[in-house]
Amino acid sequence: MKFEGTAAYVATDDLKLAVNAAIALQRPLLVKGEPGTGKTLLAEQLAEALGTRLITWHIKSTTKAHQGLYEYDAVSRLRDSQLGVDKVHDVRNYIKKGKLWEAFEADQRVVLLIDEIDKADIEFPNDLLQELDRMEFFVYETGETVKAAQRPIIVITSNNEKELPDAFLRRCFFHYIAFPDRDTLQRIVDVHFPSIRQELVQEALEIFFDIRKVPGLKKKPSTSELVDWLKLLMADQIGEAVLRERDPTKAIPPLAGALVKNEQDVMLLERLAFMSRRAGR
């Protein structure tokens, strides 16, 4: 199995090397990077490239590790026993399989995405160490051991909201998706908009990188936000001339709500524009 990117996903050489190394080592691939740089999309496109199924486990702040294995509904079983329901005699009727169980019992090798692991409690990664290492876990209610029929390809994403434990990091192959350079962004845009006017792309990229270079910006615009912005520019038929000839003393470019996502950054850009107007007098 070799990942070479797909028609819908531009993968750098470093990223392709990391994915294939993780597959060869049979270790989870831990992917970090700015939000919007394609970490989740990587798992989706990896599954497509390998012709296999993607199983996604979206992590929330309340998610517990055991939920990825299974959940036992003791309350429902107690209620059914009081009501005399027949299914109460088989405990399996009250066990809900988690995403790891689903991946372990799949009849083909699947891609398992554990998305935004850093959202969970700090103990969450440690609680999965044994299961990810041995590719098996024990179900206490039934006394059975669930083993992976075929070891899944595991992709774990993190936005760096909190540090992950060393013991967990040791078991992963790590890759940081650096923000794309201009040439890579051009290729990404071409994938999404093959018929877009290149003059519009060039002017849009100039403004995009200018915004990213503003010191003190709380949330820099990402790759996905650039794609959204270009889509809006095309939908509203805003051409490259409007971008090229816009007043540099204005606060933000047209439809910049796709790029600037909080009031602090809007105020920062407006303040810089005010200073530019003062300097130009």
Side-chain angles (χ1 to χ4, degrees):
M1 287 185 174
K2 284 285 186 182
F3 178 65
E4 297 294 340
T6 68
Y9 189 86
V10 177
T12 62
D13 290 340
D14 287 346
L15 179 56
K16 289 186 281 189
L17 185 65
V19 171
N20 292 320
I23 294 174
L25 291 172
Q26 295 189 333
R27 290 190 178 275
L29 173 64
L30 174 61
V31 184
K32 292 186 178 182
E34 289 183 32
T37 49
K39 301 184 295 297
T40 301
L41 186 60
L42 168 64
E44 297 171 0
Q45 293 301 310
L46 174 59
E48 181 174 321
L50 301 180
T52 190
R53 185 159 61 100
L54 173 69
I55 297 174
T56 302
W57 185 13
H58 294 293
I59 306 303
K60 302 177 181 178
S61 59
T62 56
T63 303
K64 302 299 180 185
H66 70 84
Q67 293 172 314
L69 309 179
Y70 69 94
E71 293 183 88
Y72 170 53
D73 191 350
V75 174
S76 291
R77 193 181 188 197
L78 175 61
R79 185 187 63 242
D80 288 348
S81 67
Q82 293 170 340
L83 296 174
V85 179
D86 287 342
K87 71 175 186 177
V88 75
H89 302 294
D90 188 351
V91 68
R92 289 176 175 81
N93 291 323
Y94 302 92
I95 290 178
K96 179 183 177 183
K97 297 178 181 179
K99 296 297 184 180
L100 264 71
W101 191 330
E102 185 181 343
F104 284 6
E105 71 175 6
D107 56 3
Q108 63 173 332
R109 193 178 192 188
V110 299
V111 174
L112 172 63
L113 170 62
I114 304 177
D115 200 25
E116 298 188 332
I117 194 172
D118 52 322
K119 281 187 175 180
D121 183 85
I122 189 63
E123 291 303 319
F124 179 92
N126 282 334
D127 292 342
L128 287 177
L129 288 180
Q130 180 171 314
E131 289 75 17
L132 295 181
D133 247 357
R134 299 183 180 180
M135 286 289 131
E136 65 178 47
F137 61 90
F138 186 71
V139 183
Y140 292 95
E141 289 76 9
T142 63
E144 64 179 311
T145 298
V146 177
K147 295 184 178 181
Q150 298 190 60
R151 193 180 189 99
I153 299 169
I154 301 175
V155 177
I156 303 172
T157 69
S158 169
N159 287 326
N160 246 353
E161 291 185 10
K162 61 172 68 76
E163 289 295 323
L164 299 174
D166 289 345
F168 178 79
L169 294 174
R170 185 175 63 81
R171 288 164 168 82
C172 298
F173 190 93
F174 172 76
H175 181 74
Y176 182 84
I177 298 182
F179 192 81
D181 59 22
R182 191 183 183 102
D183 289 341
T184 304
L185 272 181
Q186 176 75 61
R187 290 165 56 201
I188 292 171
V189 170
D190 291 342
V191 164
H192 284 86
F193 310 111
S195 60
I196 193 172
R197 294 190 309 278
Q198 290 306 308
E199 295 81 1
L200 175 61
V201 176
Q202 296 307 313
E203 293 299 329
L205 285 177
E206 288 292 337
I207 294 173
F208 177 76
F209 278 111
D210 283 347
I211 292 177
R212 280 188 59 87
K213 287 187 289 188
V214 171
L217 208 63
K218 184 176 181 181
K219 165 70 173 72
K220 294 182 179 181
S222 67
T223 308
S224 63
E225 288 157 347
L226 170 64
V227 171
D228 288 344
W229 186 44
L230 285 170
K231 185 176 182 180
L232 289 174
L233 291 176
M234 293 170 65
D236 281 18
Q237 298 182 338
I238 296 177
E240 61 275 7
V242 175
L243 301 183
R244 187 185 306 117
E245 296 168 5
R246 74 183 184 92
D247 186 350
T249 63
K250 289 184 178 179
I252 50 180
L255 299 170
L259 300 175
V260 185
K261 297 301 181 73
N262 61 70
E263 63 276 15
Q264 295 97 318
D265 288 345
V266 171
M267 292 173 64
L268 174 61
L269 292 175
E270 288 176 342
R271 189 161 59 247
L272 291 174
F274 174 75
M275 293 171 62
S276 177
R277 286 195 296 270
R278 289 280 301 256
R281 288 177 180 174

